[in-house]
């Protein structure tokens, strides 16, 4: 098998690796929508989808088929090319950012030095899809939704970037694999503890970046119909939907990698050495990512929507000062080698 | 080397074509989007030059932040294309002169005499372990620390000036201070717990409701 793999050209190898990441990711996105409906259903004492397949398990596939068969309506005065390009621009970065996420020790598509910077650069492109969709639709509701959403994304991106600066100061590296290895030890040497304020800011900004409840003013249906994608239908709408869920999974995975030790086991290495399920491995990464994915749904079922001016106040006047202060604290802690995180 | 060269020509062609579209598109939103494409493909060119830090920062800062704000402003403006097009012939001679002067200046500075292959031979490829970011950081904070700090101060001046320009007292707006909005006063705003005395013998729903009502009236 390994000989066959090595005999393939490099380009084919890379393409196969990309497929091995994207196919499970898209399946996960599909079943994340199902999980959302089920989880929120049970939180609200309902059952959720249960008609298609056993316990509704085929529901996402039925939804996808329905959306594929629907007509994509293009508004008569829309900018047609940009209108159709916007969903693609939205989903592209959400998929491409997975290139640098380490799933296990050494298990990463592209082990580049500037991994964190790459993630930041690509996630900052997602806002174009929203803006272009809002503008190209030639509809006031879409434009207003796009404006709201873009202002929100730009505001929270700064807080998010500063939170990541704290992580890279702590780890001394931009490589995501190296950041995970710098957290090695046990549950309490992971960065969620020394960087607790940044962890909180990152998680909340992540929710705001993906336009999820309670920060979903971009599609506040009671105020502006459905926000930037009000004119979209069929598969073009579905692609926006997929991008939103792919972004949520990405933020969850990044939180797991940057603050919760990625694939590391929460128990000290001397206890778990060689014990199959307790030892470091992909399953820990999956578990942590899954927890944060659940958190997104939990938040949506729990909190009412934030008011727009309060969202802006939280982003600019609360989060950014917190992150700046804590970056200073972390920098001092690193310079003075505060144990147990930076004692070595 | 062959594949790299191919990539270079692809991205260089995209950059040039996009830059051409920026100045020829009538619709300003399209022009800005082509500018984004030009930035993006020049970031790819920088990646080919092994300057991955600069390439990614170009995407992050220019594409991810500056151009978003550009688009933001452009979409809010009500642009009349007819007035934009008016006077093209009148301004053409002056525009042509400025273009020629600028092209001559650029040629004088970055012509083959100053930036040819003789002056700057291709450097040896860096090893895979070499960290671009560390090297840029070392240079910025040692050799170029004063220019770097000066640039930061100039940016700060710009920020303060911009904020000062927009900051004006407007008595006609009904601004609500969020601090007062989220404030909870001890007396009237908090939930008050009232311990309810259960009365034995009044198990009937009607009766119990009547007692609760009369107690509420009594406490009020």
């Amino acid at each position: 098998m390994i000989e066959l793999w090595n005999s393939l050209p490099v380009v084919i190898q890379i393409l196969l690796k990309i497929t091995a990441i994207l196919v499970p990711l898209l399946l996960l996105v599909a079943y994340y929508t199902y999980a959302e409906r089920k989880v929120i259903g049970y939180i609200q004492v309902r059952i959720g989808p249960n008609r298609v397949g056993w316990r509704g398990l085929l529901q996402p596939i039925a939804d996808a088929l329905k959306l594929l068969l629907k007509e994509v309506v293009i508004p008569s005065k829309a900018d047609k090319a940009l209108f159709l390009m916007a969903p693609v621009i939205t989903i592209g970065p959400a998929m491409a950012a997975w290139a640098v996420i380490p799933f296990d020790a050494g298990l990463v598509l592209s082990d580049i030095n500037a991994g964190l910077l790459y993630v930041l650069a690509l996630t900052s492109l997602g806002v174009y899809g929203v803006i272009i969709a809002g503008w190209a639709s030639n509809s006031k509701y879409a434009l207003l939704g796009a404006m709201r959403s873009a202002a929100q994304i730009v505001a929270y991106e700064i807080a998010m970037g500063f939170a990541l600066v704290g992580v890279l100061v702590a780890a001394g590296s931009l490589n995501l694999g190296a950041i995970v290895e710098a957290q090695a030890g046990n549950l309490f040497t992971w960065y969620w503890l020394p960087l607790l304020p940044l962890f909180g800011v990152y998680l909340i900004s992540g929710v705001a970046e993906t336009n999820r409840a309670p920060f979903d003013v971009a599609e506040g249906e009671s105020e502006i119909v459905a926000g930037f994608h009000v004119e979209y239908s069929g598969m073009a709408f579905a692609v926006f939907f997929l991008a939103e869920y792919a972004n949520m999974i990405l933020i969850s995975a990044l939180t797991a990698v940057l603050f919760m030790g990625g694939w590391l086991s929460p128990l000290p290495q001397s206890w778990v050495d060689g014990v199959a399920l307790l030892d470091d491995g992909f399953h820990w990464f999956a578990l942590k990512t899954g927890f944060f994915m659940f958190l997104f749904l939990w938040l949506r079922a729990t909190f009412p929507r934030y008011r727009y001016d309060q969202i802006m106040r939280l982003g600019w006047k609360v989060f950014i000062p917190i992150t700046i202060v804590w970056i200073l604290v972390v920098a001092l802690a690193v310079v003075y080698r505060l144990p147990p995180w930076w004692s070595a | 080397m062959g594949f790299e060269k191919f990539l270079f020509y692809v991205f260089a062609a995209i950059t040039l074509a996009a830059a051409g579209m920026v100045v020829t598109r009538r619709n300003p939103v399209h022009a800005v989007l082509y500018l984004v494409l030009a930035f993006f493909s020049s970031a790819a060119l920088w990646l080919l030059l092994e300057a991955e830090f600069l390439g990614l920062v170009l995407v992050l800062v220019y594409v991810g932040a500056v151009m978003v704000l550009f688009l933001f402003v452009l979409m809010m403006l009500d642009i009349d294309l007819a007035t934009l097009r008016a006077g093209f012939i009148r301004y053409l001679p002056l525009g042509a002169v400025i273009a020629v002067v600028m092209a001559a200046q650029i040629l004088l500075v970055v012509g083959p005499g100053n930036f040819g292959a003789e002056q700057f031979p291709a450097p040896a490829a860096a090893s895979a372990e070499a960290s671009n970011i560390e090297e840029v950081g070392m240079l910025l904070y040692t050799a170029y620390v004063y220019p770097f700090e000066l640039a930061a101060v100039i940016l700060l001046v710009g920020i303060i000036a911009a904020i000062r320009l927009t900051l004006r007292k407007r008595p006609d707006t009904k601004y609500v201070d969020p601090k007062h909005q989220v404030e909870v006063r001890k007396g009237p705003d908090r939930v008050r717990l009232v311990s309810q005395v259960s009365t034995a013998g009044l198990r009937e729903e009607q009766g119990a409701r009547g007692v609760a009502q009369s107690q509420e009236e009594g406490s009020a």
Side-chain angles (χ1 to χ4, degrees):
Chain A
M1 270 308 274
I2 290 175
E3 278 162 28
L4 180 69
W5 175 256
N6 286 335
S7 70
L8 291 170
V10 180
V11 178
I12 304 286
Q13 280 185 11
I14 293 174
L15 283 178
L16 283 176
K17 283 181 190 169
I18 292 174
T19 320
I21 292 175
L22 284 192
V23 170
L25 178 66
L26 286 173
L27 271 177
L28 190 61
V29 166
Y31 275 90
Y32 196 20
T33 64
Y34 169 77
E36 169 163 48
R37 294 167 71 179
K38 271 293 190 196
V39 167
I40 293 182
Y42 280 116
I43 287 176
Q44 297 169 346
V45 206
R46 296 182 286 113
I47 293 176
N50 67 342
R51 289 285 162 234
V52 193
W54 186 70
R55 299 207 166 203
L57 268 175
L58 293 177
Q59 185 70 45
I61 294 161
D63 284 345
L65 282 178
K66 184 197 80 174
L67 285 165
L68 272 174
L69 292 175
K70 273 193 160 185
E71 183 189 358
V72 177
V73 182
I74 297 176
S76 59
K77 286 200 172 171
D79 191 319
K80 197 174 166 187
L82 285 181
F83 185 80
L84 292 177
M85 222 196 292
V88 183
I89 295 174
T90 314
I91 202 164
M95 303 269 136
W98 283 88
V100 294
I101 305 282
F103 299 100
D104 198 348
L107 192 65
V108 52
L109 176 64
S110 169
D111 190 18
I112 55 173
N113 270 332
L116 197 56
L117 208 59
Y118 171 82
V119 168
L120 261 179
L122 274 184
T123 48
S124 71
L125 295 181
V127 64
Y128 277 102
V130 173
I131 296 187
I132 293 173
W135 183 78
S137 302
N138 202 15
S139 149
K140 58 188 158 203
Y141 296 113
L143 187 65
L144 283 175
M147 287 298 157
R148 280 183 176 201
S149 167
Q152 177 183 328
I153 291 176
V154 169
Y156 279 85
E157 212 166 69
I158 298 171
M160 213 169 173
F162 273 138
L164 295 185
V165 169
V167 173
L168 70 95
V169 167
S173 172
L174 280 166
N175 183 309
L176 291 174
I179 288 173
V180 171
E181 269 149 25
Q183 303 178 51
N186 56 47
L187 179 63
F188 299 105
T189 61
W190 296 349
Y191 284 154
W192 66 270
L193 188 57
L195 306 181
L196 194 60
L198 298 183
F199 174 53
V201 167
Y202 183 79
L203 205 57
I204 298 171
S205 303
V207 179
E209 280 275 295
T210 46
N211 286 326
R212 292 289 298 180
F215 297 97
D216 58 344
V217 288
E219 46 187 278
E221 58 278 89
S222 54
E223 304 148 30
I224 48 169
V225 197
F228 61 91
H229 53 48
V230 62
E231 303 290 346
Y232 283 84
S233 58
M235 212 51 209
F237 167 74
V239 171
F240 276 121
F241 210 63
L242 293 179
E244 182 178 320
Y245 284 78
N247 270 323
M248 282 155 67
I249 300 172
L250 179 70
I251 297 279
S252 307
L254 277 173
T255 315
V257 165
L258 299 172
F259 293 98
M260 300 301 270
W263 65 81
L264 298 175
S265 162
L267 302 167
Q269 191 62 45
S270 54
W271 297 9
V272 299
D273 217 9
V275 186
L277 273 180
L278 292 180
D279 208 352
D280 304 343
F282 171 70
H283 56 285
W284 284 114
F285 171 77
L287 209 65
K288 291 163 188 171
T289 308
F291 171 73
F292 288 114
M293 282 162 65
F294 177 74
L295 199 69
F296 270 94
L297 309 182
W298 192 2
L299 284 174
R300 178 171 168 198
T302 308
F303 292 116
R305 185 176 297 134
Y306 238 101
R307 211 177 63 199
Y308 188 70
D309 62 323
Q310 290 181 347
I311 287 182
M312 284 298 151
R313 177 174 163 269
L314 186 71
W316 288 103
K317 293 189 177 173
V318 180
F319 280 176
I320 294 177
I322 289 179
T323 50
I324 291 176
V325 168
W326 208 257
I327 286 172
L328 210 66
V329 173
V330 172
L332 286 175
V334 172
V335 168
Y336 290 107
R337 307 216 160 275
L338 181 76
W341 301 288
W342 298 286
S343 50
Chain B
M1 195 61 209
F3 187 59
E4 227 168 86
K5 229 172 205 170
F6 169 72
L7 282 181
F8 169 78
Y9 282 115
V10 168
F11 284 118
I14 295 176
T15 311
L16 285 179
M21 292 301 244
V22 174
V23 285
T24 50
R25 286 284 89 183
R26 289 258 166 75
N27 192 326
V29 173
H30 288 180
V32 169
L33 288 174
Y34 274 112
L35 190 57
V36 169
L37 181 61
F39 278 138
F40 207 82
S41 34
S42 23
L45 287 177
W46 286 6
L47 286 182
L48 282 177
L49 286 173
E50 297 176 4
E52 66 262 16
F53 178 72
L54 288 178
L56 288 172
V57 166
L58 179 72
V59 173
L60 184 61
V61 175
Y62 279 90
V63 178
V66 175
M67 297 320 287
V68 171
L69 296 180
F70 245 79
L71 263 187
F72 215 83
V73 174
L74 267 180
M75 286 177 181
M76 304 291 263
L77 295 177
D78 184 22
I79 296 163
D80 188 7
L81 292 179
T83 50
L84 278 184
R85 257 176 273 174
F88 179 74
I89 300 294
R90 225 181 87 208
Y91 294 117
L92 187 61
L94 184 64
V97 169
I98 292 175
V100 167
V101 169
M102 277 177 69
Q105 281 176 332
I106 292 171
L107 250 163
L108 280 177
V109 177
V110 294
N114 293 337
F115 279 88
E118 298 85 50
Q119 274 76 17
F120 292 92
S127 71
E129 269 76 54
S131 174
N132 199 267
I133 303 148
E134 266 178 47
E135 277 165 39
V136 171
M138 282 307 277
L139 275 180
L140 270 187
Y141 284 97
T142 54
Y144 296 100
V145 65
Y146 289 122
F148 180 64
E149 295 290 328
L150 263 179
V153 171
I154 291 171
L155 273 178
L156 185 67
V157 170
I159 293 172
I160 293 173
I163 292 174
R164 187 65 197 86
L165 278 177
T166 53
L167 194 71
R168 59 193 200 279
K169 284 273 177 287
R170 285 182 59 191
D172 54 323
T173 57
K174 290 179 176 154
Y175 177 71
V176 187
D177 190 350
K179 202 184 85 195
H180 293 308
Q181 273 189 312
V182 297
E183 191 178 57
V184 177
R185 284 163 300 168
K186 201 172 181 185
D189 298 336
R190 288 212 174 130
V191 174
R192 194 161 45 96
L193 290 180
V194 182
S195 63
Q196 191 74 286
V197 185
S198 75
T199 317
L202 284 172
R203 289 291 174 212
E204 290 86 6
E205 208 182 320
Q206 287 288 324
R209 197 176 288 162
V211 169
Q213 264 173 8
S214 66
Q215 275 184 349
E216 258 176 31
E217 279 161 18
S219 66

